[in-house]
Amino acid sequence: MAEKATIARPYAKAAFESARQHNALERWTKVLATASSVVQDERVARLLSSPRVTPEQLSGLISDIVGGDLDEQTRSFLATLASNRRLAFLPEIASMYEALRAEAENTADVQVISAVALDEAQKQRLASALKKRLQREVRLHVEVDASLIGGAIVRAGDFVIDGSLKARLDRLAVEMSH
């Protein structure tokens, strides 16, 4: 994994700088997300490692699928990745790009997994508390997982709060088994 990160980092930085320079951060987010999904498809993944498929063909295939969101810079970026045989690194590049964008925009994407659906007032209170704690604007991504029994798990990068009843019961079981 470290090797993938090492290879992906300069591409992510280049994508971010181009996006910022052309005031196209959202366009790049869409293109990188879609292209990442494309290269993760098992049929496309087989083509990426095939010596019979040229970089131009690979770049053309992905460009055709991504479609209307492409501009000259994003098309050129995908062509560069293809010619360097780095299209398989698009998921890592997209992830690093999003981290650079969040840093520049002083935002944090926070994943909240709760045992029950949160209403708008709960989401607002949680977002407000996290904004204060993280000192950033917060974008909540809320999921429901009934297996948590109660409570929630909050993740923002390396910051994790596991306040689920399931985790508490698991810890209690470990304590009792000693």
Side-chain angles (χ1 to χ4, degrees):
M1 186 65 182
E3 181 181 321
K4 280 188 170 189
T6 302
I7 291 170
R9 188 173 295 108
Y11 291 104
K13 287 180 178 177
F16 178 73
E17 289 305 320
S18 178
R20 189 161 51 177
Q21 182 179 14
H22 293 94
N23 199 24
L25 293 171
E26 187 60 32
R27 175 190 308 266
W28 277 84
T29 290
K30 289 177 186 175
V31 168
L32 291 173
T34 305
S36 293
S37 296
V38 171
V39 300
Q40 289 176 333
D41 182 279
E42 65 185 53
R43 296 166 295 185
V44 175
R46 282 196 301 268
L47 293 175
L48 295 179
S49 59
S50 172
R52 294 187 180 131
V53 182
T54 67
E56 293 79 20
Q57 290 170 320
L58 290 170
S59 175
L61 170 69
I62 293 170
S63 294
D64 288 347
I65 295 170
V66 172
D69 286 327
L70 288 176
D71 62 4
E72 185 180 327
Q73 286 78 30
T74 51
R75 190 177 307 277
S76 174
F77 182 76
L78 291 175
T80 299
L81 289 177
S83 68
N84 292 333
R85 295 282 182 186
R86 299 292 193 234
L87 287 169
F89 294 90
L90 269 164
E92 291 79 12
I93 293 167
S95 176
M96 289 179 178
Y97 171 87
E98 286 305 315
L100 290 168
R101 180 178 176 189
E103 185 69 30
E105 293 177 341
N106 199 31
T107 60
D109 284 305
V110 179
Q111 180 186 26
V112 179
I113 306 168
S114 64
V116 296
L118 301 178
D119 63 32
E120 283 306 311
Q122 290 170 317
K123 289 178 188 177
Q124 289 297 326
R125 283 196 309 271
L126 182 58
S128 178
L130 288 168
K131 178 180 177 180
K132 189 174 184 180
R133 167 74 188 220
L134 300 173
Q135 298 179 348
R136 294 175 169 262
E137 291 299 316
V138 172
R139 289 188 297 239
L140 288 182
H141 305 279
V142 182
E143 301 174 30
V144 175
D145 182 355
S147 72
L148 296 179
I149 306 169
I153 301 171
V154 178
R155 286 191 184 101
D158 294 337
F159 176 75
V160 179
I161 299 171
D162 190 342
S164 67
L165 189 53
K166 181 179 187 290
R168 290 179 188 171
L169 290 172
D170 289 346
R171 285 191 298 267
L172 182 60
V174 169
E175 290 294 322
M176 292 178 71
S177 69
H178 284 93

